[in-house]
Amino acid sequence: MRTGGVSAAPYDSLNSSFAVGDEVAAVTENLARLAARAGVGPARLLFVKQVHGARVVEAVKAAPDTEADALWTDVPGTAVGVRTADCLPILIEDPRGRVAAVHAGWRGVISEIVARTVEQLVERGGRPAELKVAIGPCIQRCCFEVDGELPGRFEAAFGAGVIHHPAGKAKVHLDLPRAVQQTLTRLGVPEGHVVALPHCTMCDGRFFSHRREHGITGRHLSFITCAP
Ligand SMILES: [Zn+2]
């Protein structure tokens, strides 16, 4: 949720992003609070510059301005995080000693950034059947209206189950968490290892929503810590 920080409106209050027009001092304090919650020092809470791509990087070899949308670490006592406001924050725990954080909007979902991230974990000894995944608050199918060619592309990639036709509405809605779930199932991650929170950032005012606030809002930070 967006509470618990020091940023003023329209970034109130736990905004994690320096790139949305908020005060630097406020964001720095918010990140310090989030790092404390993660159980790490502020310098051990790592993130990257998200660009709606499909690049995955090793966090300790990246910088905050490295362009990527997923990062992983195997350094104990280090946390990786992604910033979102409607996009999907996806956190992955590999019990063989790695954690990953993924930012995915519709571009990231259809370019399979989650699969790219799981592949990097598997290349280093991870097993899909052991991975545990959490999908955080994001724009859900109740609110994610799309048009043009997108519905067709998603149906081709993930099947008709990710397309919804709400009664009385001309536009169709997409179910992005369901598409990610399908990717994970295909890769061999057990369904019981995936928790998808039901909260919709657009219709639940406790969350930052890029769509609802027309781009002028804060960003949540979703993070996962590599156990010390
Ligand atoms: Zn909604």
Side-chain angles (χ1 to χ4, degrees), residues 26-88:
V27 180
T28 301
E29 170 62 19
N30 292 341
L31 289 174
R33 292 183 182 193
L34 288 161
R37 275 298 183 94
V40 301
R44 306 308 295 166
L45 175 54
L46 305 179
F47 24 72
V48 287
K49 183 180 181 187
Q50 300 167 190
V51 291
H52 289 285
R55 184 174 176 221
V56 185
V57 295
E58 181 176 359
V60 297
K61 293 181 179 171
D65 63 349
T66 297
E67 294 189 350
D69 286 274
L71 64 169
W72 60 267
T73 188
D74 57 6
V75 179
T78 295
V80 288
V82 287
R83 296 162 163 127
T84 61
D86 290 340
C87 286
L88 283 64

Side-chain angles (χ1 to χ4, degrees), residues 90 131-135 177 180-181 184-185 189-197:
I90 302 152
L131 301 179
K132 292 190 175 163
V133 182
I135 304 173
V180 169
Q181 171 74 68
L184 291 166
T185 299
V189 178
E191 280 191 30
H193 286 197
V194 182
V195 174
L197 295 183

